[in-house]
Amino acid sequence: MAFDAAFLDELRNRTPLASLIGRRNKLVRSGRNWKTCCPFHGEKTPSFYVYDDHFHCFGCGAHGDAISFVMQSDGRSFPEAVEQLAAEAGLEVPKQDPRSEARAREVKSLGDVLSLVQASYRRRLFLPEGREGLAYLRGRGLSDATIERFGLGWSGDGRHLVEELRAHDVTPEMLVQAGILRVDDRGQPKGELFFNRVTFPIRDRRGKLISFGARTLGDGQPKYLNGPETALFSKRRTLYNLDLAREAVHKGAELVVVEGYMDVIALDQAGFGGAVAPLGTALGEEQLDLLWRMTPSPILCLDGDAAGARAALRVCEVALSLLSPERTLRFCRLDPKDDPDSLIRTRGVAAMKEALSGATSLATELFGLMTGGMVDPGPDQRAALREKLVALSKLIPDRALASEYRSTFLDMFFARFRRGGGSKKPFQKKGAPLPLSTQAPGEMRHIEQGSVERLNILTAMLLRYPDILPEVEQAYSSLALPVDLDRIRSALLDWSCQDEDLTEENCHRWIEAHGLTDIVAAVTESPMPREVGLGKDRDEVLKIDVVESWWHFYGLVNFRNFEREVANDIQATIMQVYSGGGGGDSSFPESLLARMRVLEALRRGEDVEEEG
């Protein structure tokens, strides 16, 4: 029973070999690949290696792909193995009829047609008519060996290919099906798609020719042109230079995704053999899967301009729903004036190597993209940003990994936007002391030493009554704290984003899981401000006694900021009422009234410690 070759290739692409073999055998990492004890012969030392598209046992010599693994391990015939894998991959096995057999012959013939076209393009590059194209390639610094390695060519003026290939029984209709000729409105052959262009053959992962890309040397548009979708070629399912890059990555090269043909070729010539590029489309799920089959952590090397940032953001958002502990992305962002080709030509291989060595994680890249241009965002912007970051982490299907990303995002958020934590240094009057968290031992003023106990009380109240966190979170985030209190704050703010009730019991469980029990024990020895809630309803306690007590201690250690924040909120509420945005309610919200009462009490003469 014969199967369409294109269907079998699609089946293999949709069947991750490591996942298939890992169902029955415990796989362990071996560099970029996997290994285990051979399932086909008894052994104590693993010699069975699993690559992205095949397996090989160095003990017994067993070798094959996903289909042959099922055949050998389950004793199934080839058709039975194909049907089993197709069902698992959600593919429908094509029925065997004369039409499918004819299509298989067509695919083979299209490959033959493309090979003849490639031979013509290659020959033309070294004829007088290809002089301009050859000069362009050499002017870009490509050696003759590189031109040969990548099969670069010249399409000619677009008027002779049909006649040239007619001697090989190639018809215009076949050239249309291969994506070489254009068609008119009636679907009739119209003319060559590539003319007066340098040509770049596009191959699949096995090195078979499937289409072409081309670059014009004049002012024509588009500058770069890819062949159309055909029975052989699908832009979203392949990458330029996939075959050569796979070979290089297997030998230890970094897998690097760049934006264009010339970037790939320049990197390869400079010794970075694992370079690939998308074919005129943004990276999609299927292309990311191709990358992860080769390595768990490919590098995306994008231009540093606005277009590069947009491309990076699109890739991040697509990748989040596909991440797992075994596969992620790294990002290498170049200066806006550079791309890999220009960087290598102007500053050399060492500069490119340095740029790749500085590749950042997906989390760091995404946070930078989301906060780009933010210098001093207001509370509404910070709240929206934090909500977006948490929402992005929830796109990750693996719950443990999603939790780690959420924690990382929030750590970066609070480190950047907490007072004194961002790249923009807060204004300090000349001679003013450093914040508590940055002063050297022995440099604290007496008044600040007294405030540490009050900061302990603030923290202890949140540990005991964590459901007030949402109401005081913004102010709590802005405080400068000693190291231990800062660690507790980071844990509390991270926990408050989890999908669970903000109860004292859940809080203590979180603290224990993060190894902070001893630190918290020292903090909670601080006396509570007073017994709160005697004879009162729990909700009333939280709204009045606990919240007001918290704001009281916040005002004591941070009075000037507290006074300014309350004044700003009063003004904002008044403006909202007068502008008609208050929904007809002219009263202040209870949360603001509580802070106003605390502020008035502090102004009446209770102990106040001013910052600075």
Side-chain angles (χ1 to χ4, degrees):
M1 183 178 183
F3 291 97
D4 179 19
F7 166 74
L8 293 177
D9 281 343
E10 178 69 10
L11 179 60
R12 295 183 182 101
N13 285 337
R14 292 203 188 185
T15 306
L17 195 53
S19 298
L20 175 67
I21 297 175
R23 295 176 196 170
R24 311 176 191 185
N25 305 274
K26 184 177 180 180
L27 300 178
V28 295
R29 273 284 177 193
S30 177
R32 300 175 185 274
N33 307 301
W34 301 89
K35 66 180 179 179
T36 186
C37 290
C38 181
F40 304 124
H41 83 282
E43 63 176 5
K44 296 182 179 180
T45 303
S47 61
F48 187 91
Y49 283 75
V50 182
Y51 304 93
D52 64 323
D53 62 348
H54 73 280
F55 63 85
H56 182 80
C57 178
F58 291 92
C60 69
H63 183 93
D65 58 11
I67 298 172
S68 59
F69 179 80
V70 172
M71 292 172 63
Q72 294 179 57
S73 59
D74 293 352
R76 296 183 181 274
S77 65
F78 184 82
E80 290 172 338
V82 168
E83 290 175 0
Q84 174 184 321
L85 293 175
E88 294 172 355
L91 289 174
E92 184 177 351
V93 179
K95 296 179 179 178
Q96 297 300 303
D97 57 28
R99 286 178 297 178
S100 65
E101 294 178 2
R103 184 177 181 278
R105 290 194 297 271
E106 174 190 331
V107 168
K108 182 178 180 181
S109 65
L110 291 184
D112 295 336
V113 169
L114 291 174
S115 295
L116 291 169
V117 172
Q118 166 67 351
S120 175
Y121 289 166
R122 288 285 296 127
R123 185 174 64 256
R124 291 176 185 276
L125 180 66
F126 293 95
L127 293 176
E129 64 178 285
R131 184 181 298 113
E132 184 182 6
L134 186 59
Y136 165 78
L137 294 174
R138 288 175 173 166
R140 294 292 295 266
L142 301 188
S143 66
D144 286 353
T146 296
I147 293 172
E148 176 68 27
R149 173 174 168 80
F150 283 89
L152 307 183
W154 178 254
S155 64
D157 60 10
R159 293 182 292 182
H160 304 290
L161 192 59
V162 172
E163 287 303 318
E164 180 183 337
L165 298 188
R166 196 182 299 278
H168 298 275
D169 297 324
V170 175
T171 66
E173 289 74 21
M174 295 170 71
L175 289 170
V176 169
Q177 292 172 4
I180 302 301
L181 290 189
R182 296 172 293 160
V183 295
D184 59 22
D185 295 338
R186 296 172 298 171
Q188 298 299 312
K190 181 180 179 181
E192 293 182 30
L193 178 64
F194 309 112
F195 56 91
N196 291 332
R197 289 175 179 262
V198 172
T199 59
F200 302 81
I202 300 170
R203 300 177 297 270
D204 65 14
R205 62 196 185 101
R206 289 191 170 91
K208 295 179 180 178
L209 192 61
I210 54 177
S211 189
F212 291 93
R215 187 196 193 282
T216 183
L217 301 184
D219 297 327
Q221 292 296 326
K223 181 181 291 186
Y224 283 95
L225 182 64
N226 291 312
E229 300 279 315
T230 68
L232 288 177
F233 179 52
S234 173
K235 293 183 180 71
R236 71 180 188 277
R237 294 180 180 176
T238 192
L239 296 159
Y240 179 66
N241 197 44
L242 184 59
D243 57 328
L244 298 181
R246 282 178 65 245
E247 181 180 347
V249 170
H250 278 312
K251 294 178 180 178
E254 289 277 17
L255 179 57
V256 183
V257 184
V258 292
E259 295 191 17
Y261 302 119
M262 291 304 299
D263 291 326
V264 168
I265 297 171
L267 282 169
D268 184 273
Q269 182 171 275
F272 303 94
V276 296
L279 295 157
T281 64
L283 279 176
E285 293 186 10
E286 289 165 303
Q287 289 167 318
L288 287 172
D289 186 61
L290 285 174
L291 296 173
W292 282 321
R293 285 170 180 263
M294 290 186 276
T295 181
S297 183
I299 298 174
L300 272 65
C301 185
L302 303 171
D303 295 347
D305 56 13
R310 289 192 297 270
L313 183 58
R314 284 195 301 268
V315 174
C316 288
E317 292 182 334
V318 171
L320 284 173
S321 63
L322 306 171
L323 293 184
S324 73
E326 292 80 29
R327 55 188 197 179
T328 186
L329 296 173
R330 289 174 290 162
F331 289 82
C332 171
R333 297 290 295 282
L334 304 179
D335 290 338
K337 66 180 183 299
D338 281 326
D339 55 39
D341 179 29
S342 65
L343 180 62
I344 291 170
R345 282 190 286 129
T346 58
R347 296 174 54 197
V349 173
M352 190 70 235
K353 187 176 296 185
E354 181 181 358
L356 291 176
S357 67
T360 58
S361 68
L362 188 152
T364 300
E365 175 70 15
L366 187 51
F367 183 82
L369 292 168
M370 299 301 298
T371 57
M374 286 190 177
V375 176
D376 190 18
D380 52 345
Q381 290 176 290
R382 292 196 298 271
L385 172 62
R386 177 176 168 178
E387 183 176 346
K388 177 64 173 175
L389 291 170
V390 172
L392 287 171
S393 69
K394 290 181 179 179
L395 295 176
I396 301 172
D398 184 282
R399 293 186 62 182
L401 184 61
S403 178
E404 290 298 327
Y405 264 80
R406 179 172 52 244
S407 298
T408 299
F409 284 149
L410 293 176
D411 285 346
M412 289 189 286
F413 175 86
F414 290 117
R416 175 163 178 177
F417 297 113
R418 182 182 298 143
R419 182 174 294 111
S423 57
K424 181 182 178 181
K425 295 182 179 179
F427 171 79
Q428 284 187 316
K429 292 179 288 185
K430 186 175 181 179
L434 295 170
L436 289 175
S437 59
T438 59
Q439 282 191 306
E443 291 183 356
M444 277 189 194
R445 298 182 308 165
H446 173 73
I447 191 169
E448 289 176 335
Q449 290 174 333
S451 74
V452 172
E453 184 63 24
R454 287 165 174 166
L455 293 173
N456 282 343
I457 294 173
L458 282 179
T459 305
M461 291 176 70
L462 291 174
L463 291 165
R464 183 170 178 182
Y465 303 106
D467 40 356
I468 72 169
L469 256 173
E471 188 166 337
V472 303
E473 177 182 345
Q474 191 60 51
Y476 183 45
S477 300
S478 71
L479 284 170
L481 298 177
V483 174
D484 285 348
L485 293 184
D486 187 55
R487 289 180 62 192
I488 295 173
R489 172 171 57 187
S490 295
L492 282 174
L493 294 176
D494 189 10
W495 168 66
S496 69
C497 297
Q498 310 299 311
D499 295 327
E500 67 177 9
D501 295 334
L502 300 181
T503 66
E504 185 178 6
E505 180 182 0
N506 287 340
C507 179
H508 287 175
R509 188 182 302 114
W510 181 267
I511 290 294
E512 183 178 0
H514 287 72
L516 297 174
T517 304
D518 291 342
I519 296 176
V520 166
V523 170
T524 53
E525 289 177 358
S526 299
M528 296 296 282
R530 64 173 179 263
E531 284 298 322
V532 296
L534 296 177
K536 294 182 179 180
D537 178 79
R538 168 67 171 164
D539 290 339
E540 185 181 359
V541 170
L542 290 179
K543 289 180 180 178
I544 300 175
D545 286 357
V546 176
V547 172
E548 287 193 25
S549 293
W550 195 94
W551 285 119
H552 181 90
F553 281 86
Y554 175 79
L556 286 175
V557 298
N558 205 25
F559 181 74
R560 292 304 176 203
N561 272 347
F562 181 53
E563 185 178 45
R564 184 167 55 250
E565 290 162 3
V566 172
N568 289 341
D569 288 348
I570 291 172
Q571 183 66 27
T573 302
I574 292 172
M575 293 301 296
Q576 186 179 32
V577 170
Y578 277 100
S579 65
D585 184 1
S586 59
S587 62
F588 290 121
E590 179 58 37
S591 60
L592 179 54
L593 288 172
R595 287 186 290 153
M596 291 167 65
R597 287 192 292 270
V598 170
L599 180 60
E600 183 60 28
L602 292 173
R603 282 172 172 167
R604 285 198 301 265
E606 298 187 23
D607 292 336
V608 173
E609 296 170 13
E610 298 182 12
E611 59 174 359

